[in-house]
Amino acid sequence: MKKVKMLCTLAALMFGIGLAANAQCSDDDVLDGCSNELKAGFRYLKTYDVDGDGEFSYVFSRGNTYLIQTCEEASLNKNVKITVMDRTKHKIAANYDRAGTISNSFLAYRCNSTSIYYVKFEIVGDDPECGVGILGFK
Amino acid sequence: MLRKLFVVALVGSFLVACGPSQQAKDDFNVEEESKKDDELVDEAISLPMDQVVMLLNSVPPPLELAVLMKDVGGEYSSDPLNPTGNADAYSTSYKKAINLGVYGADLGYANIYSQTQDAIDYLTTVQGLADDLGVGQFFDFETIKELAQSADNLNELLNLTTKNYEKMNDYLKEKGRVNQSVLMMAGGWIEGLHVACYVAENHDSQELLERIGEQKITLAQIMPLLEMFQKDKDISQLHADMKKLEKVFDKVKIEIEEGEPVTIMEDGLEITEIPTTQVVKITPELLKEIKETNEMIRAKFVK
């Protein structure tokens, strides 16, 4: 009887997990919350999933300043290292120092030569359940 | 018996987590029709999907160019835009998808200049094409329409429009309809270039001229994406035409001399930059050639 109870509990738990997988935290809410945090004057361009280490590329245009920021749930996330690399994948800007200490949840880069650039996210600590990276420009 | 119960529980929970909703089933029907219509198949993809998505995400939306057109003092004109009346004639999903990108660029341009009536007209057209492609549910028509009524809401309006386009794209990628995402992106880029060339011809701006020349860098990101869908005759033709444009852009020479990164403070924001000299060699004659080649490509799908 104990075994049956245990299995019923297990089954309920698994159904629960199943439902939770369907109703994971809403990306829309995270995105909206994060884009609302964009600093004054910056216009929203793109969103990137930050649910693990990742890299994306983008053609930055000369004369524009780009802002890359990361959020977990609806607030800024200071547990993500952001690195900007040039077309040769040489590091040119970061939100952390040589010791790896993260200074901000964002990084601003002013582009003086139009080219393809790479942005790398590295999560420090636990992966956020609903992490996003936002790219804005002005 | 207990083992069976365990298996039932496991399968049940998996089905709850992964089973399609009614909405997803409806979407699937639209996708099936869409695929048949275009004869587009995933087998056309020769690059891994993550690379495809990376390339797609690397292309700036036409909004960036539209902002520059306004910043350099270019005046608004609806003359170069695709008339909304053309949309009724788009019967294939190829034309619908590529012109969804075109009209999105036109909508952004009208929004940047706070041209409310034009913006609402383009918005209505975008909604219609998005519905036809089964992605209209991602377009918050009413809110965007409301925001478009006042210039005070410009940033919010642009943010929401960009997000809505992004959601449509994400959905298409998720559903294996990347080809339509690629077409939307290509249509938006071609239209952005078309309008920028028009403005540059009517408004003397070295900055805009050079930015048009720099589009060769973005084009280099677009070409491999079009190449992947060569099995589709429409995309294959578009790719062949874009090759001609690529050849013209090859004549644009870009020279870069870079220094070392520096960090400055501006309005309380720490900004990194690299002191750089970038020279873009593009003549008015070359601009004309780019414009004409791009117009030849555009004319094939907007009419």
Side-chain angles (χ1 to χ4, degrees):
Chain A
M1 189 61 191
K2 246 185 181 178
K3 272 187 177 173
V4 174
K5 266 189 181 174
M6 205 172 79
L7 273 170
C8 285
T9 309
L10 181 66
L13 194 68
M14 293 185 84
F15 274 107
I17 291 167
L19 287 167
N22 240 4
Q24 279 177 342
C25 56
S26 161
D27 284 346
D28 283 356
D29 291 345
V30 184
L31 168 58
D32 289 342
C34 197
S35 58
N36 289 340
E37 295 284 339
L38 264 181
K39 298 205 175 293
F42 283 92
R43 291 191 170 115
Y44 170 83
L45 277 174
K46 281 189 192 282
T47 312
Y48 302 91
D49 287 337
V50 184
D51 49 8
D53 295 354
E55 191 177 294
F56 68 85
S57 59
Y58 192 81
V59 177
F60 285 173
S61 294
R62 182 164 48 133
N64 286 348
T65 301
Y66 293 89
L67 185 79
I68 304 143
Q69 71 180 32
T70 57
C71 295
E72 184 177 11
E73 300 299 337
S75 58
L76 295 171
N77 183 0
K78 272 187 80 169
N79 296 320
V80 181
K81 284 184 179 176
I82 309 167
T83 311
V84 175
M85 294 170 285
D86 66 12
R87 61 191 175 282
T88 62
K89 293 226 172 171
H90 175 70
K91 178 182 156 185
I92 51 172
N95 70 334
Y96 56 91
D97 62 19
R98 282 183 184 185
T101 310
I102 298 170
S103 52
N104 287 306
S105 58
F106 60 84
L107 187 159
Y109 180 74
R110 176 166 297 145
C111 176
N112 290 320
S113 69
T114 302
S115 179
I116 188 86
Y117 288 82
Y118 297 88
V119 178
K120 195 169 151 189
F121 294 120
E122 287 170 275
I123 295 166
V124 179
D126 295 335
D127 286 4
E129 270 186 36
C130 268
V132 294
I134 297 263
L135 177 68
F137 85 108
K138 72 171 180 181
Chain B
M1 172 65 190
L2 290 178
R3 196 169 288 169
K4 273 184 185 168
L5 189 63
F6 179 80
V7 171
V8 168
L10 181 69
V11 172
S13 63
F14 186 75
L15 288 175
V16 170
C18 306
S21 63
Q22 187 55 47
Q23 175 66 42
K25 284 175 189 164
D26 293 345
D27 293 342
F28 181 73
N29 292 336
V30 175
E31 282 149 31
E32 282 301 297
E33 281 171 26
S34 206
K35 278 183 184 173
K36 275 179 205 162
D37 189 19
D38 266 8
E39 296 172 353
L40 295 172
V41 284
D42 282 345
E43 297 90 80
I45 297 171
S46 55
L47 282 174
M49 187 50 71
D50 57 343
Q51 282 187 39
V52 174
V53 172
M54 191 160 173
L55 273 172
L56 255 174
N57 282 337
S58 72
V59 177
L63 177 72
E64 281 196 48
L65 209 46
V67 169
L68 179 73
M69 287 181 233
K70 194 180 179 203
D71 285 351
V72 298
E75 286 196 6
Y76 177 81
S77 170
S78 59
D79 291 351
L81 308 185
N82 186 18
T84 52
N86 284 352
D88 295 337
Y90 304 145
S91 55
T92 63
S93 53
Y94 167 79
K95 281 207 169 184
K96 285 177 199 287
I98 199 163
N99 281 292
L100 187 53
V102 168
Y103 284 126
D106 291 344
L107 172 64
Y109 176 66
N111 277 336
I112 287 285
Y113 283 86
S114 302
Q115 297 293 314
T116 308
Q117 192 49 56
D118 281 0
I120 290 170
D121 291 346
Y122 280 106
L123 188 59
T124 310
T125 310
V126 162
Q127 178 74 61
L129 286 178
D131 283 343
D132 289 352
L133 287 169
V135 289
Q137 68 272 29
F138 300 107
F139 216 75
D140 190 352
F141 179 80
E142 288 308 324
T143 310
I144 294 177
K145 191 176 168 185
E146 210 173 288
L147 291 170
Q149 311 287 338
S150 166
D152 296 340
N153 304 321
L154 182 62
N155 261 0
E156 209 181 330
L157 169 68
L158 294 173
N159 286 357
L160 186 60
T161 312
T162 309
K163 276 185 214 167
N164 283 185
Y165 260 84
E166 195 173 41
K167 278 181 195 169
M168 285 195 270
N169 267 316
D170 286 346
Y171 178 79
L172 290 172
K173 282 177 225 159
E174 198 181 298
K175 298 293 174 185
R177 293 161 64 189
V178 186
N179 51 314
Q180 292 181 343
S181 263
V182 170
L183 285 172
M184 274 170 61
M185 176 274 299
W189 182 80
I190 290 166
E191 185 70 354
L193 178 63
H194 170 72
V195 178
C197 287
Y198 175 89
V199 173
E201 274 198 341
N202 293 285
H203 178 81
D204 191 21
S205 164
Q206 184 61 25
E207 194 180 352
L208 181 58
L209 187 66
E210 290 186 9
R211 188 66 72 83
I212 289 169
E214 290 165 7
Q215 293 304 306
K216 76 178 279 185
I217 296 160
T218 306
L219 182 58
Q221 302 295 305
I222 298 172
M223 292 307 286
L225 287 167
L226 291 174
E227 204 168 341
M228 284 186 330
F229 296 98
Q230 292 274 20
K231 281 186 183 172
D232 174 81
K233 61 176 173 44
D234 289 318
I235 298 184
S236 174
Q237 183 57 56
L238 178 65
H239 179 257
D241 289 338
M242 295 286 272
K243 275 271 190 202
K244 291 173 193 159
L245 186 61
E246 196 179 33
K247 266 195 162 182
V248 180
F249 266 111
D250 278 347
K251 296 177 193 172
V252 177
K253 300 296 170 209
I254 301 176
E255 290 166 8
I256 301 170
E257 210 172 289
E258 285 172 334
E260 288 300 312
V262 292
T263 303
I264 55 163
M265 284 298 285
E266 204 174 273
D267 300 329
L269 186 65
E270 197 177 277
I271 300 172
T272 305
E273 68 173 326
I274 299 177
T276 306
T277 311
Q278 177 168 323
V279 180
V280 181
K281 292 181 179 167
I282 175 170
T283 60
E285 292 73 30
L286 190 47
L287 171 71
K288 193 166 177 274
E289 208 179 329
I290 291 171
K291 183 176 186 278
E292 285 171 359
T293 311
N294 192 48
E295 270 174 11
M296 176 274 292
I297 298 167
R298 180 180 176 271
K300 288 186 180 177
F301 56 77
V302 297
K303 284 176 184 161

